[in-house]
Amino acid sequence: MRNILLFATCLTLLCLLFPMLANAEPLGFKRPRSTFALGIDVFDAMLGNFGNVSDVGMSVFVETTLQVGGYYGIHFRFGSARAFTKKNFLPFDDGYQFVYFVAAPRFNLAPFRKQMIVFYLQPEIELQILVSNTLVKITGNDSTTGAAGGSIGIQYVLGILSISGQASCRYNWDLQSLFVGGSLSVGLSNIIK
């Protein structure tokens, strides 16, 4: 028992005297970092009338993230999406297309000291603008809708190369539909000096 108490006291003193050794994060984690990436996203709309006739879709996007203070950041994404429908509503088209903009705060956690692997959580708000819409009987004439939800993901930074993967879930209140998807992005990341 005495050895355990002595070990705990030494460990506590070591952490107090050398706080950098106590942190699990990589050395550059707490410095401001900027990331710019391109990616693809596969999604499916569920729930309600819109979700019943919507099928799997895919989007391409560009995203940027500014990580300030290590644990906190802000994330923006702009993309274009195309999805199929389960029924032929018009003879010349069987899908819908929209562009979207996502803004989100990001909360980061880097549990490894030697590698820059960051797990993140981000609550999101999304603006969707329908461009080509065969589901106009369901959506109505208003082409602008909104959604709110969140994403969890992992980012691996190797030098200046960044590879990210995330799973997301957003509820569109106008369409009363839930968009569930997963994305993969590759880009550049660097510490801001």
Side-chain angles (χ1 to χ4, degrees):
M1 181 69 168
R2 188 173 184 197
N3 290 337
I4 294 173
L5 184 59
L6 181 63
F7 177 73
T9 304
C10 289
L11 189 61
T12 304
L13 285 174
L14 185 66
C15 290
L16 289 173
L17 295 175
F18 302 101
M20 288 301 290
L21 296 176
N23 292 338
E25 301 94 15
L27 293 175
F29 175 71
K30 291 188 179 176
R31 295 181 63 189
R33 174 178 291 277
S34 175
T35 303
F36 179 81
L38 302 172
I40 59 169
D41 183 28
V42 177
F43 63 92
D44 193 7
M46 299 180 225
L47 301 178
N49 292 334
F50 186 83
N52 290 338
V53 295
S54 180
D55 208 351
V56 174
M58 185 177 201
S59 74
V60 292
F61 60 85
V62 58
E63 65 182 358
T64 185
T65 304
L66 178 62
Q67 179 180 331
V68 287
Y71 298 106
Y72 308 104
I74 188 162
H75 175 81
F76 297 104
R77 178 186 286 191
F78 178 75
S80 176
R82 170 88 171 140
F84 296 105
T85 55
K86 295 177 183 172
K87 297 179 181 177
N88 290 330
F89 288 89
L90 294 175
F92 53 85
D93 198 0
D94 61 350
Y96 60 96
Q97 182 178 357
F98 62 93
V99 294
Y100 62 93
F101 178 75
V102 174
R106 180 178 279 191
F107 304 100
N108 302 303
L109 177 66
F112 304 110
R113 176 89 172 144
K114 302 261 185 203
Q115 295 179 343
M116 186 64 165
I117 297 176
V118 179
F119 296 94
Y120 61 86
L121 170 71
Q122 58 187 35
E124 299 173 341
I125 187 132
E126 178 176 342
L127 174 68
Q128 296 177 349
I129 302 170
L130 292 164
V131 178
S132 170
N133 185 11
T134 60
L135 305 177
V136 71
K137 289 183 179 178
I138 296 171
T139 62
N141 291 329
D142 191 9
S143 63
T144 305
T145 64
S151 296
I152 57 170
I154 183 170
Q155 179 184 21
Y156 178 55
V157 179
L158 181 62
I160 63 166
L161 181 66
S162 168
I163 302 169
S164 296
Q166 77 175 21
S168 63
C169 182
R170 289 184 288 278
Y171 182 75
N172 186 310
W173 53 81
D174 288 335
L175 303 177
Q176 297 179 351
S177 184
L178 186 70
F179 286 82
V180 177
S183 66
L184 181 66
S185 63
V186 177
L188 302 174
S189 179
N190 201 8
I191 293 174
I192 301 172
K193 297 181 181 182

